[in-house]
Amino acid sequence: EVVLLTDPPIPGVVACLPPHVQTAEDMGKSLPIKELFIDVGLSQEEAERRIPLGTPVVYRSSFLRLGERQLCSKAMDDRVCFEALLRTAELLREHIRTCKSLTEKPFGVNIMLMNPAAAEMAQVVIEEGVKVVTTGAGVPGQFVPAWKEAGIKVFPVVPATTLVRRLEPLGVDGFIAEGTESGGHVGELTTMALVPQVCECTDLPVIAAGGIASGRQLAAAFALGACGAQVGTCLLVSQECPIHDNYKQAILKAKDSDTTVTGRSVNAPVRILKNQMSREYLKQERAGASREELEKFTLGSLRRAVFDGDVKNGSLMCGQNAGLLHEIRPLRTILEELCAGCDETVRRLAEEVSQ
C-alpha cells in the first residue's frame, strides 16, 4: 500500500489511498516508511523531472499550518495581524472565514510567494475581503495592483533597500524590514543596520522584524525609526502555538549562539537551531554539494520538527533571540509584556536623559 499524493497535481501521478485511509489525519498516521517528502519550494517542473512515476510521494508544504486560526483568534482583542501560512488557496479561504466568525476586527494574511498556490491565494484574499496582506519569500509586484484596487493594505517583507525602491512605485502601503537575526528565510543585513536605512529611503511606514522578543528590543525598533514590530520566535513558545512540545523545549534550551544559517551557497539561506541535520548540511555545503544533494537533508525537515518533534533531524526554524525565552506562556501574556516592557524602557531612558 502506497500513497501517491501531490499538491498541486503532477501530471501522470495518480492519488492512490489505501482503503483504511479516509482523512488527511489518517494519512499522516499511516504513511509507509519510504515516503518521499517534497518541499513546497520544489516547482512542478522540477518535480516532474526528478520524481519517477510510481514513486511514493507525499507533498507537504514547508510552511505547514503555523498560522492556525485558533492562534489568530486568541490575539484578536489586541488587534494583532497574524498570518495564515497554508498550502492551498481553499484551505486559506476556510481559515479566513473561520477568523471572520471569531472576530469583527481586521486581520492580516501573509502570502509566501514561493508557495505554488500563491497566485490563487492572491485572489482569495480579494474575494474574502481581507484588509491587510503581507508577503515574503519573493517579490509581489504582479499582485499589488489588484490588491490595491480591492482596498487591501500591502506590506511586503524586505531584506534590503533595493526591494523598497522597486516596490514603492507600485503603491504598497509600507514595508516590513526583516533583519538576519530572524528565524526561517533570512537576508544578510542585521535589523540594527537594515531598519534605519529602509526608513531613510522611504516615507512609508516601516515595521521592524528580526531579533525582537522583549520590550527593550521593541523600544529599540521604535528608536531605529520603525512604527511597529513583527515578532515570530517568541510566539513559537506560546501555549497556543500548535507545534510539537519538543520543538518548543529546544527553543527554550537554546543559547544566544545556538542558531546557524544553512543554504547560503544555493541562495536559500534559512536560520535554524543547530542540530545533527544542520551540522551535516553545512558539512556537505562546505564540500560543494549541489542543491539537489542538499535537499536530501531538508525535504520534509520542517514537518519532522513541527509535527513529529524530531529535534535531531528536523528543521527547527528559530531566531537569534531564543536565549531570551525561558518559559511557555499564554499568547496574551507575551504580547502584553512586550508592550509593557517597551513602555518601561522608554520611560527609563527619558528619565536618564533628563538627569
Side-chain angles (χ1 to χ4, degrees), residues 114-332:
M114 65 187 292
N115 190 324
E120 298 173 62
M121 292 179 171
Q123 184 59 35
V124 165
V125 295
I126 294 174
E127 295 169 358
E128 295 297 325
V130 171
K131 303 301 183 183
V132 179
V133 168
T134 65
T135 65
V139 181
Q142 61 179 311
F143 307 121
V144 173
W147 286 338
K148 295 308 301 172
E149 185 176 345
I152 297 174
K153 301 292 185 183
V154 182
F155 281 74
V157 171
V158 294
T161 58
T162 52
L163 197 54
V164 174
R165 297 186 180 95
R166 179 176 175 182
L167 291 174
E168 184 166 359
L170 298 179
V172 300
D173 297 278
F175 297 97
I176 301 171
E178 184 177 66
T180 192
E181 300 96 321
S182 64
H185 298 273
V186 296
E188 293 294 330
L189 292 172
T190 65
T191 302
M192 181 71 79
L194 175 64
V195 172
Q197 291 185 77
V198 171
C199 292
E200 195 169 278
C201 78
T202 181
D203 292 327
L204 295 176
V206 176
I207 295 172
I212 301 172
S214 70
R216 290 170 295 173
Q217 291 165 317
L218 181 56
F222 291 135
L224 294 174
C227 65
Q230 173 179 287
V231 296
T233 300
C234 65
L235 302 186
L236 288 177
V237 291
S238 67
Q239 291 178 355
E240 294 84 356
C241 186
I243 64 174
H244 199 285
D245 189 62
N246 289 356
Y247 193 160
K248 294 183 182 183
Q249 293 303 322
I251 293 174
L252 295 179
K253 293 175 183 176
K255 300 180 179 65
D256 55 354
S257 59
D258 283 345
T259 68
T260 189
V261 176
T262 61
R264 281 200 170 106
S265 66
V266 292
N267 295 318
V270 177
R271 183 174 299 283
I272 60 176
L273 286 177
K274 295 175 181 177
N275 61 2
Q276 181 175 305
M277 184 277 286
S278 69
R279 286 190 289 272
E280 185 59 31
Y281 185 106
L282 291 170
K283 178 181 177 181
Q284 296 300 321
E285 195 170 16
R286 287 191 295 268
S290 66
R291 178 184 289 270
E292 288 75 13
E293 291 171 324
L294 293 172
E295 282 178 349
K296 295 176 183 177
F297 298 98
T298 58
L299 295 180
S301 60
L302 188 56
R303 172 195 176 276
R304 289 193 290 272
V306 171
F307 291 127
D308 302 337
D310 186 346
V311 296
K312 292 184 178 180
N313 303 299
S315 179
L316 303 169
M317 294 186 180
C318 176
Q320 288 182 311
N321 53 22
L324 293 172
L325 306 172
H326 308 297
E327 59 181 326
I328 297 173
R329 300 179 295 164
L331 180 64
R332 176 180 290 276

Side-chain angles (χ1 to χ4, degrees), residues 91-111:
L91 188 56
L92 172 59
R93 190 189 303 276
E94 175 190 334
H95 280 232
I96 289 173
R97 291 180 177 179
T98 300
C99 282
K100 288 180 180 177
S101 72
L102 295 170
T103 181
E104 295 181 355
K105 298 181 184 296
F107 55 88
V109 171
N110 173 271
I111 297 181

Side-chain angles (χ1 to χ4, degrees), residues 66-79:
L66 300 192
E68 289 279 0
R69 51 186 174 241
Q70 292 88 346
L71 181 62
C72 294
S73 66
K74 294 291 184 180
M76 284 306 166
D77 289 342
D78 296 308
R79 293 172 290 180

